[in-house]
Amino acid sequence: MYKMMTPGPTMVAENVRMARSVETGNPDLDLEFYDFYKETCELYSGLLHTKNESLILSGEGILGLEAAVASITEPGDRVLILDNGVFGKGFADFVNIYGGEPVLYTTDYKKEIEAGALREFLEKDSDFKYATVVHCDTPSGMLNDISVICPLLKEYGILTVVDSVSGMFGNEVNVDASKIDILCGGSQKAISCPIGLTLVTISEEAKRMMENRKTRIASFYANLLVFKNYYEDKWFPYTMPVSDIYGLRQALENIKEDKDIIKRHKRIAAKTREALIRAGLHLYAENGYSNTVTVFTIPGGVTAGDILKIMREDYNIMLAGSFDVLAGEVIRIGHMGYNCTEENVRETLTALDIVLRKLGVELKDVLEYR
């Protein structure tokens, strides 16, 4: 198996794989599983520093983003889309699907969203039901400071929906302190589980917004209200993927025991960027660097396909290109969750140094982890 140093999915710890192999019962009828599910959700909420309820949904992380939008958007609602990346812009598609009116606040894709400029915008127009914010925009590795942006939006009475699928557990997330109403996460990023689960954390204010709608939510599977009173009624809206949730529980326990997790991500990310810069390569972003993924522009004379192919075939390491406006422009190195070790990054950079030189790229210094 190749070393998967991509910005998700990540490699998975052995104890997580083993947890997923445990014999399972019937989650619809097994009352003990309702306790296990609820306790797993509470563990997740605790790790994100919130008393808000969390739900585990059966579906890849995109499901959580769509469910958040579907559950609170009504026809004609004005929704502020903070757009400084591919996924930031992408929220507009969901808003359109459910009848809302997306208003894009578009800024430089190479820079984090600046609070002062956003405040100036809100002073002129703050008539929005909610706003969407991407914590870490994976295609570019851009990190937005949700601890500043979300409280600012709340000052103007705007609810917040945050995509932290590839941000959380590599970058600090404090839901309550940041006044986040709906936070979306996914199993396959820094949580380091296989693909298949999305996690949504919901504030009481967001729940009231869902419950006081004038129109029905135009979905069943992407409707967060279908989980209301699931524990009291001992009734899930659909059959839960037991094995996936067993694996998730173990991964969350791993995170709980990893007291150095944020500091380690920060340290390794910084050293990865330093190595690239020393070698004369250029980071895509000018600021707002995420601790979970590092993105550099492709040197002249080579292609993303050249680099990725040789890394995979000759060194058994998988990196990632990007897509949309960044297709063919950058290479992404994932260092999140179980991938985020000095050994993994050192091996990756050493191989990348050889590959770039083999392709004729002149480096200023050895590309290595120091």
Side-chain angles (χ1 to χ4, degrees):
M1 183 64 179
Y2 49 82
K3 188 181 290 288
M4 193 160 51
M5 296 298 291
T6 58
T10 65
M11 296 182 287
V12 176
E14 182 68 13
N15 64 355
V16 173
R17 282 193 291 271
M18 291 300 99
R20 295 179 77 248
S21 70
V22 172
E23 185 176 4
T24 62
N26 186 325
D28 294 320
L29 302 178
D30 182 354
L31 298 185
E32 290 183 358
F33 182 74
Y34 287 88
D35 290 325
F36 184 86
Y37 176 94
K38 183 171 182 288
E39 290 164 4
T40 303
C41 291
E42 290 171 345
L43 172 59
Y44 175 73
S45 289
L47 291 171
L48 295 171
H49 312 289
T50 183
K51 297 182 176 65
N52 292 344
E53 181 181 23
S54 291
L55 299 171
I56 304 165
L57 313 183
S58 179
E60 194 272 340
I62 290 291
L63 172 61
L65 309 184
E66 181 169 351
V69 173
S71 298
I72 59 177
T73 307
E74 296 194 71
D77 285 342
R78 296 183 80 234
V79 180
L80 180 61
I81 310 294
L82 300 190
D83 165 31
N84 69 329
V86 174
F87 285 164
K89 176 181 62 176
F91 261 115
D93 294 333
F94 294 132
V95 173
N96 276 318
I97 288 170
Y98 292 99
E101 178 190 337
V103 177
L104 270 68
Y105 175 77
T106 302
T107 64
D108 191 333
Y109 276 27
K110 292 189 175 185
K111 297 179 181 179
E112 63 185 319
I113 291 171
E114 203 276 317
L118 177 59
R119 182 181 291 278
E120 290 179 9
F121 172 85
L122 294 172
E123 285 294 325
K124 299 174 184 177
D125 185 4
S126 61
D127 183 23
F128 301 103
K129 186 175 188 179
Y130 68 93
T132 63
V133 188
V134 174
H135 187 201
C136 171
D137 205 274
T138 327
S140 65
M142 177 58 63
L143 189 76
N144 291 309
D145 191 348
I146 54 176
S147 71
V148 173
I149 293 170
C150 293
L152 172 58
L153 291 163
K154 295 290 282 186
E155 284 183 35
Y156 291 84
I158 303 170
L159 266 72
T160 56
V161 173
V162 174
D163 167 6
S164 188
V165 172
S166 62
M168 62 175 59
F169 302 122
N171 304 281
E172 187 66 49
V173 177
N174 187 316
V175 172
D176 288 351
S178 299
K179 301 182 180 180
I180 298 169
D181 290 293
I182 301 181
L183 181 79
C184 301
S187 59
Q188 79 272 28
K189 303 289 188 174
I191 291 176
S192 296
C193 266
I195 309 157
L197 297 177
T198 189
L199 302 99
V200 183
T201 301
I202 314 163
S203 73
E204 291 302 316
E205 187 174 358
K207 288 181 183 179
R208 286 193 295 272
M209 182 175 285
M210 296 174 201
E211 292 170 350
N212 294 327
R213 294 172 58 107
K214 297 176 182 177
T215 58
R216 294 180 62 185
I217 296 173
S219 177
F220 176 82
Y221 211 69
N223 178 349
L224 296 175
L225 280 184
V226 297
F227 280 84
K228 185 178 180 180
N229 296 327
Y230 78 87
Y231 184 73
E232 292 78 6
D233 297 340
K234 299 298 186 284
W235 184 260
F236 288 118
Y238 50 80
T239 302
M240 289 291 106
V242 184
S243 296
D244 290 344
I245 294 173
Y246 282 175
L248 173 67
R249 175 62 168 270
Q250 182 59 62
L252 293 176
E253 294 287 357
N254 290 348
I255 292 171
K256 182 180 179 181
E257 294 302 315
D258 189 354
K259 306 302 182 184
D260 191 45
I261 188 168
I262 301 296
K263 291 181 179 179
R264 185 177 72 256
H265 277 79
K266 184 176 181 179
R267 180 179 67 252
I268 289 175
K271 286 182 174 292
T272 302
R273 295 192 299 269
E274 290 166 5
L276 292 167
I277 292 169
R278 278 197 311 271
L281 298 169
H282 299 284
L283 302 178
Y284 172 76
E286 295 179 14
N287 59 26
Y289 304 112
S290 177
N291 294 334
T292 55
V293 53
T294 294
V295 182
F296 67 94
T297 56
I298 298 169
V302 298
T303 69
D306 293 334
I307 297 169
L308 299 176
K309 183 174 186 292
I310 300 175
M311 286 289 292
R312 171 69 179 86
E313 293 182 355
D314 292 2
Y315 298 95
N316 211 31
I317 297 173
M318 177 178 282
L319 301 181
S322 197
F323 47 92
D324 200 275
V325 296
L326 292 176
E329 299 294 323
V330 300
I331 294 292
R332 297 182 292 159
I333 303 171
H335 35 72
M336 58 175 65
Y338 194 63
N339 289 10
C340 190
T341 69
E342 292 189 351
E343 179 183 356
N344 285 338
V345 175
R346 182 174 287 111
E347 181 182 345
T348 298
L349 293 179
T350 297
L352 184 58
D353 177 274
I354 298 170
V355 169
L356 291 174
R357 293 178 191 278
K358 185 181 296 187
L359 290 169
V361 177
E362 294 185 7
L363 300 177
K364 292 182 179 179
D365 194 357
V366 177
L367 181 54
E368 63 180 356
Y369 185 93
R370 297 177 188 169

